[in-house]
Amino acid sequence: KILVIGACGQLGSELTLALRDIHSKNNVVASDVREPEGDLADGPFEILNVMNKSDLENIIDKYSITQIYHLAAILSAKGEKDPKFAWDLNMNSLLNVLELARDKKLEKIYWPSSIAVFGPNTPSKNTPQHTVMDPNTVYGISKLAGERWCEYYFEKYGVDVRSLRYPGLIGYKAKPGGGTTDYAVDIFHKALEDGTYESFLSEDTYLPMMYMDDAIKATINIMEADKEKIKIRSSYNIAAISFSPKEIAGEIMKHLPNFSITYNPDFRQSIANSWPDSIDDSEARSQWGWQHQFDLSKMTSTILTGLKELLNHQAG
Ligand code: VAH
């Protein structure tokens, strides 16, 4: 039985549905601090504050959970508004999961890291798997510390925890949760609703990005890979595409010729500047066969088509 923590989030909501397709819905328990919406409610659900270790333990016992996908976290932009809370939630929740995984001999754990573990002194082009990591956001610091804890619990206690350093994840089915890369989600909503978008990052801000379907595929792939193939127990670099606000706006204009973009960088510009432009993910590709499917053009047409349908459907 699988437990998804943070199932109502941008990644969690789509990943839970994908896992239910594979393992059938009654084998995937969704949990979050808030009630589920839409299809997510069509399966086992528990309200859970993952900071509460005994509540988490009760759910593991109640459903005889054997695998946990721990996706709950405060993301980069939101974390800078309340650093202490972001650190407490991101770190204590992971330690709760790792402790229980060890004590209850859970089969496998998934925990996402991020390109946010890299910082201003990290080589920014084709950032290697092993390199200087000096994150300067609370979110990035918590993800770097989390990677160290994952490797520690694997080496010392044999906990089979697996992790990916996600780039910016771009999807349209769920609201984003306060990230810096979420301009690339907002731009599609504004393009369809207002015909114009004011970007909070400057026009040439390149960032590593990935369409949500690719991120879900990578997550399922690493969790289904044979244990011996997983050589990296901190977190794997994975990559798909890198683009700037100017480039994604240009791609949208191919479909919506009247779409316009303006630029008004805010505090999130300095966060984006501290992150790489592109990532070297050769280990993931060679060790467990990672391969992305969506380039910028395919992602843009997929999202515009899907979002139009969603908005028409919501309009009723
Ligand atoms: C954020 N979407 O912006 C997340 C992600 C690499 C970016 O970690 O905080």
Side-chain angles (χ1 to χ4, degrees), residues 99-171:
E99 286 274 295
L100 287 166
R102 179 195 60 194
D103 299 346
K104 294 179 170 297
K105 300 189 179 4
L106 298 189
E107 187 193 322
K108 275 184 260 192
I109 302 296
Y110 180 76
W111 174 78
S113 182
S114 160
I115 58 167
V117 295
F118 300 120
N121 290 298
T122 306
S124 63
K125 305 250 182 309
N126 280 324
T127 301
Q129 175 69 45
H130 302 290
T131 184
V132 167
M133 301 161 85
D134 57 348
N136 58 13
T137 62
V138 174
Y139 173 71
I141 293 164
S142 75
K143 287 300 185 181
L144 179 51
E147 289 190 6
R148 301 286 88 240
W149 278 117
C150 289
E151 192 174 81
Y152 185 90
Y153 271 76
F154 174 75
E155 297 297 344
K156 193 171 172 84
Y157 305 117
V159 172
D160 186 356
V161 49
R162 304 174 187 203
S163 180
L164 300 174
R165 289 174 183 159
Y166 289 133
L169 300 188
I170 314 304

Side-chain angles (χ1 to χ4, degrees), residues 3-78:
L3 171 63
V4 179
I5 299 171
C8 294
Q10 185 201 10
L11 169 65
S13 51
E14 295 203 46
L15 183 62
T16 300
L17 298 179
L19 289 169
R20 284 179 171 165
D21 283 350
I22 297 168
H23 302 279
S24 87
K25 69 182 177 187
N26 288 331
N27 289 326
V28 181
V29 181
S31 70
D32 206 308
V33 282
R34 61 181 192 269
E35 289 298 334
E37 292 165 9
D39 299 348
L40 206 52
D42 180 25
F45 187 90
E46 294 282 346
I47 291 286
L48 169 66
N49 176 341
V50 69
M51 304 273 273
N52 186 318
K53 189 176 176 184
S54 61
D55 286 355
L56 173 55
E57 183 164 11
N58 291 339
I59 290 175
I60 293 171
D61 294 342
K62 176 178 174 184
Y63 293 93
S64 309
I65 295 296
T66 55
Q67 293 186 27
I68 296 179
Y69 288 69
H70 174 27
L71 308 178
I74 304 296
L75 297 186
S76 59
K78 214 167 144 195

